[in-house]
């Protein structure tokens, strides 16, 4: 037990903060704050429905972003594709110059209202940081480790599975954390394109002065981000702990 | 040899395929509907084959060729193809809307956008291979080309130009507001990080808070700030006298600045650690004063890292300032959100393109400054 706790403790702070924020988004608490005339707090059922939509959309985007981003990152770090490495940073810089709101807006006339433009924005905005993070994490693996693995006769696939990935695990978890936070954030922006997410009460609240609902949406979105972050941190700590135990 | 030829061939066929298979223009009865797609043969007519040929030469040469001369020729071919493509699209659009009602719009379609992006990308790659400063060369080439075509009136019939003519005043105000908001937030965040750096014992707490803020989604932070401010103002209305308001620049500045704290803080801490204790001990042993150490060791080692943090923060500020329009702070986001509300693609583009251009220019400028600092003070 004493061995598990330090690993899980890594994610405990964000997780508890997330729970507190989620509790604060409960209608009875939010109603205390926004007591204006137009304030109508959302019932829990509506909030839960929005959170579920938000989670589904963000999880779908995150899954595609991690598979493509990490996958492309693995390709880019193979020696065969070394010539592509230089262009990655240029493309990353360009992709980051287009803020997610703008991607959502530009996708709107092409893909229509709702989920699709949000997902596109998630992909457009998430893949390049994930790719660069993966490349960075794999670059942090020392050449000595790779060469000694080669020297004892491991195949490239085995080197990747037993040497590179375990050694890069910490960086990879960091990359996935960034991707997760981006996914939750961009999904909230998707409310502007009519996707039904936790951003919806914020955007609608700004338009019709519904302060309580706006606050609920803001707190619940932030709660989702912190809960996800805490979860990934705990997973990262657990992976790290496992590795140390096998190494001992 | 054969793989290289294959790469050259596939690069050469890329753009002709895009231009011939995807629609280049959309002709619509007004600015709000998408309209019917127009293929290359009708959109470019006589301009098509010269454009396609030049693009194929440029991209093919870029994939096959080695050396500065080949890169230079490839770059010129790409620039020529871009000029022909834009001029051809302008002429095609003028012909397509001639004799139609005034509200008719000819809008650039997917093929045209991909073509333009690929050609500009190829141009930068060619500049890089030719050992020219990439950002300056390609920006000068594209801006020069656009200015020339604009003054010649070749682009007048494209819907983006029509939209721009109708809203040039709004656009100018929006760009100004956007820059004021982004720079204001950057200044606010820089002052705050500078102040926080003086609080030596609280470094851990600051690091935790600042990275925690980064986790909060931007829309949520802005919404939360508006809610908190309006509650505060409802409780203490006298605060309005100090210029505080629930909507507008107060929440926008605070919200954007909150996200800039992390890159600025990271840059500052990296700059602080740039001088290793050994260097500092040696300097002290030589009898240098604190001020001399700052000027001769800490600043030269730290300045590039500080500028790096500033670059990340500045690009983020320009992007986040778009969301300022959501809380009524103006800026280019106003055009984007108006365009979304009206479902008018040209208006969205009119707001979005300046944001992208401003971000790229800022990125390139601060990148250049960082490189110049590293050259000035080589490690």
């Amino acid at each position: 037990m004493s061995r598990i706790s330090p690993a899980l403790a890594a994610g405990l702070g964000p997780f508890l903060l997330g729970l507190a924020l989620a509790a604060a988004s409960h209608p009875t608490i939010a109603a205390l704050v926004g007591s204006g005339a137009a304030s109508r707090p959302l019932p829990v059922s509506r909030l839960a429905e929005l959170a579920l939509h938000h989670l589904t959309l963000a999880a779908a985007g995150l899954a595609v972003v991690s598979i493509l981003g990490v996958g492309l990152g693995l390709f880019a770090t193979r020696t065969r594709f070394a010539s592509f490495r230089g262009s990655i940073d240029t493309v990353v810089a360009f992709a980051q110059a287009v803020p997610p709101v703008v991607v959502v807006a530009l996708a709107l006339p092409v893909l229509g209202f709702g989920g699709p433009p949000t997902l596109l924005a998630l992909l457009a905005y998430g893949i390049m940081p994930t790719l660069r993070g993966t490349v960075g994490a794999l670059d942090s693996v020392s050449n000595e480790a790779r060469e000694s693995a080669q020297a004892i006769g491991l195949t490239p696939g085995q080197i990747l599975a037993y040497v590179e990935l375990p050694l890069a695990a910490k960086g990879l978890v960091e990359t996935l954390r960034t991707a997760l936070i981006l996914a939750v954030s961009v999904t909230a922006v998707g409310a502007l394109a009519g996707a039904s997410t936790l951003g919806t009460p914020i955007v609608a609240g700004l338009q019709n002065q519904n302060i309580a609902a706006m606050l609920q949406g803001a707190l619940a979105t932030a709660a989702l981000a912190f809960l996800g972050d805490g979860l990934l941190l705990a997973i990262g700590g657990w992976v790290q702990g496992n590795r140390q135990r096998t190494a001992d | 040899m054969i793989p290289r030829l294959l790469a050259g061939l596939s690069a050469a066929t890329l753009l002709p395929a895009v231009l011939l298979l995807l629609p280049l223009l959309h002709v619509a009865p007004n600015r709000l509907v998408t309209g019917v797609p127009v293929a290359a043969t009708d959109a470019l007519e006589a301009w098509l084959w010269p454009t396609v040929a030049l693009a194929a030469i440029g991209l093919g040469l870029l994939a096959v060729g080695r050396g500065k001369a080949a890169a230079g020729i490839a770059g010129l071919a790409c620039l020529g193809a871009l000029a022909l493509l834009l001029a051809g699209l302008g002429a095609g659009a003028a012909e397509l809307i001639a004799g139609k009602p005034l509200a008719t719009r000819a809008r650039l379609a997917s093929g045209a956008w991909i073509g333009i992006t690929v050609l500009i990308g190829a141009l930068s790659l060619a500049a890089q291979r030719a050992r020219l400063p990439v950002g300056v060369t390609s920006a000068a080439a594209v801006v020069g080309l656009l200015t020339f075509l604009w003054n010649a009136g070749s682009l007048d019939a494209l819907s983006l130009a029509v939209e721009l003519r109708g809203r040039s005043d709004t656009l100018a105000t929006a760009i100004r507001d956007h820059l004021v908001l982004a720079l204001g937030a950057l200044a606010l965040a820089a002052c705050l990080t500078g102040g926080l750096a003086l609080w030596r014992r609280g470094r851990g707490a600051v690091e935790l808070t600042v990275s925690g803020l980064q986790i909060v989604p931007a829309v949520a932070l802005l919404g939360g700030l508006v809610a908190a401010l309006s509650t505060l103002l409802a409780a203490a209305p006298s605060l309005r006298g100090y210029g505080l308001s629930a909507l507008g620049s107060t929440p926008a500045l605070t919200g954007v600045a909150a996200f800039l704290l992390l890159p600025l803080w990271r840059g500052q801490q990296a700059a602080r650690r740039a001088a290793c204790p050994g260097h500092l001990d040696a300097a002290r042993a030589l009898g240098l004063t604190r001020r001399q150490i700052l000027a001769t060791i800490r600043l030269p080692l730290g300045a590039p890292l500080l500028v790096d943090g500033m670059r990340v923060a500045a690009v983020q500020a320009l992007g986040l300032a778009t969301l300022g329009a959501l809380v009524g702070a103006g800026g280019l986001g106003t055009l984007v959100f108006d365009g979304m509300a009206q479902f008018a693609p040209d208006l969205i583009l009119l707001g979005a393109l300046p944001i992208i251009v401003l971000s790229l220019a800022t990125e390139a400028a601060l990148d250049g400054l960082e490189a110049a600092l590293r050259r000035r003070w080589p490690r």
Side-chain angles (χ1 to χ4, degrees):
Chain A
M1 188 64 204
S2 60
R3 278 191 168 176
I4 302 173
S5 49
L8 293 182
L12 202 60
F15 201 80
L16 287 181
L17 187 56
L19 283 182
L21 286 168
S25 69
H26 192 275
T28 47
I29 300 178
L32 296 176
V33 180
S35 51
S39 278
R40 293 174 312 281
L42 299 175
V44 176
S45 58
R46 171 75 179 138
L47 207 59
E49 184 192 343
L50 288 174
L52 191 66
H53 275 162
H54 197 119
L55 210 59
T56 318
L57 210 55
L62 182 64
V64 180
V65 162
S66 355
I67 290 169
L68 280 180
V70 175
L72 288 174
L74 290 182
F75 269 114
T77 43
R78 301 306 96 190
T79 36
R80 220 179 315 164
F81 300 99
S83 53
F84 290 104
R85 292 286 298 281
S87 41
I88 290 179
D89 277 344
T90 321
V91 181
V92 170
F94 185 78
Q96 292 302 296
V98 189
V101 205
V102 171
V103 184
V104 171
L106 290 176
L108 188 66
V110 187
L111 298 174
F113 279 107
T118 314
L119 270 181
L120 183 76
L122 254 173
L123 299 193
Y125 205 65
I127 285 184
M128 292 320 288
T130 316
L131 168 57
R132 183 158 65 173
T134 309
V135 170
L138 285 167
D139 273 350
S140 70
V141 177
S142 69
N143 264 334
E144 284 83 359
R146 272 197 202 100
E147 277 157 16
S148 21
Q150 225 165 10
I152 60 170
L154 294 187
T155 64
Q158 286 171 325
I159 296 179
L160 181 67
Y162 300 128
V163 179
E164 289 183 297
L165 284 182
L167 284 178
K170 191 157 178 252
L172 285 176
V173 170
E174 280 302 305
T175 306
L176 289 183
R177 272 182 69 202
T178 317
L180 175 112
I181 293 163
L182 274 178
V184 174
S185 172
V186 175
T187 310
V189 170
L192 288 165
S196 153
T197 70
L198 285 171
T200 310
I202 306 177
V203 175
L206 280 167
Q207 277 157 4
N208 54 27
Q209 297 294 305
N210 189 349
I211 306 288
M214 192 171 24
L215 191 65
Q216 279 180 294
L219 288 171
T221 316
L224 217 54
F226 279 108
L227 288 176
D229 194 45
L231 205 63
L232 266 184
L233 273 175
I235 293 176
W238 181 70
V239 170
Q240 229 31 31
N242 260 356
R243 222 191 81 210
Q244 237 126 55
R245 238 165 297 150
T246 31
D248 283 347
Chain B
M1 194 61 205
I2 288 177
R4 236 169 90 193
L5 274 180
L6 277 180
L9 266 180
S10 48
T13 44
L14 170 72
L15 214 59
V18 165
L19 292 180
L20 289 170
L21 294 178
L22 292 173
L24 294 192
L25 289 172
H26 277 295
V27 175
N30 61 55
R31 63 191 275 270
L32 301 183
V33 295
T34 315
V36 285
V38 181
T41 38
D42 293 326
L44 286 175
E45 292 188 331
W47 301 78
L48 175 62
W49 296 112
T51 311
V52 165
L54 266 183
I57 292 172
L59 289 174
L61 201 57
L62 207 55
V64 177
R66 298 265 159 87
K68 281 167 86 166
I73 297 172
L76 284 179
C78 288
L79 188 63
L82 187 62
L84 287 179
L85 179 63
L86 287 172
L89 286 170
E95 202 168 301
L96 284 165
I97 62 169
K100 298 250 176 74
L102 207 59
T104 309
R105 293 285 184 117
R107 180 175 301 131
L108 295 180
S110 54
W113 286 117
I114 296 176
I116 292 169
T117 317
V118 169
L119 282 174
I120 293 180
L123 196 62
S124 330
L125 190 61
Q128 192 184 3
R129 293 255 184 92
R131 305 250 183 282
L132 294 167
V134 179
V136 180
T137 317
S138 32
V142 173
V143 169
L145 179 63
L146 282 178
T147 319
F148 174 75
L149 289 174
W150 180 265
N151 287 336
S154 311
L155 307 175
D156 284 358
L158 292 171
S159 65
L160 198 59
V162 179
E163 195 80 31
L164 175 61
R165 274 200 301 278
R167 286 176 195 264
S168 53
D169 293 344
T170 330
L171 184 66
T173 326
I175 290 180
R176 203 198 57 212
D177 288 352
H178 201 89
L179 286 176
V180 168
L181 180 54
L183 281 177
L186 196 60
L188 184 64
C191 289
L192 217 63
T193 26
L196 285 171
L198 298 177
W199 184 32
R200 283 165 195 269
R201 296 179 60 189
R203 246 172 224 153
V206 172
E207 172 87 34
L208 204 66
T209 316
V210 163
S211 34
L213 271 174
Q214 210 73 18
I215 298 176
V216 182
V219 179
L221 188 68
L222 283 175
L225 275 173
V226 172
L229 276 169
S230 57
T231 313
L232 184 70
L233 288 174
S238 59
L239 284 175
R240 283 184 202 279
Y242 298 99
L244 220 60
S245 66
L247 287 174
S249 50
T250 316
L253 269 178
T254 332
V256 175
F259 288 109
L260 308 183
L261 290 176
L262 184 68
L264 289 176
W265 175 259
R266 290 260 160 95
Q268 199 179 53
Q269 293 304 307
R272 184 176 65 81
R273 284 191 301 262
C276 68
H279 288 151
L280 297 176
D281 285 343
R284 273 188 218 109
L286 283 173
L288 264 60
T289 63
R290 283 181 70 102
R291 183 171 304 208
Q292 282 171 323
I293 291 179
L294 186 70
T296 56
I297 298 180
R298 286 194 180 270
L299 194 64
L301 286 174
L305 297 165
L306 217 52
V307 173
D308 190 50
M310 193 67 102
R311 174 182 61 89
V312 176
V315 173
Q316 277 191 13
L318 286 167
L320 285 167
T322 318
L323 283 175
L326 202 61
V327 293
L332 287 162
T334 325
L335 298 180
V336 176
F337 293 141
D338 280 356
M340 281 170 95
Q342 300 172 13
F343 222 73
D346 298 324
L347 190 51
I348 299 177
L349 274 173
L350 199 61
L353 286 178
I355 300 174
I356 298 171
V357 170
L358 281 175
S359 308
L360 285 177
T362 311
E363 163 101 23
L366 288 177
D367 233 10
L369 179 62
E370 194 189 324
L373 286 175
R374 284 194 197 279
R375 274 198 302 276
R376 166 82 177 71
W377 289 309
R379 297 191 69 114

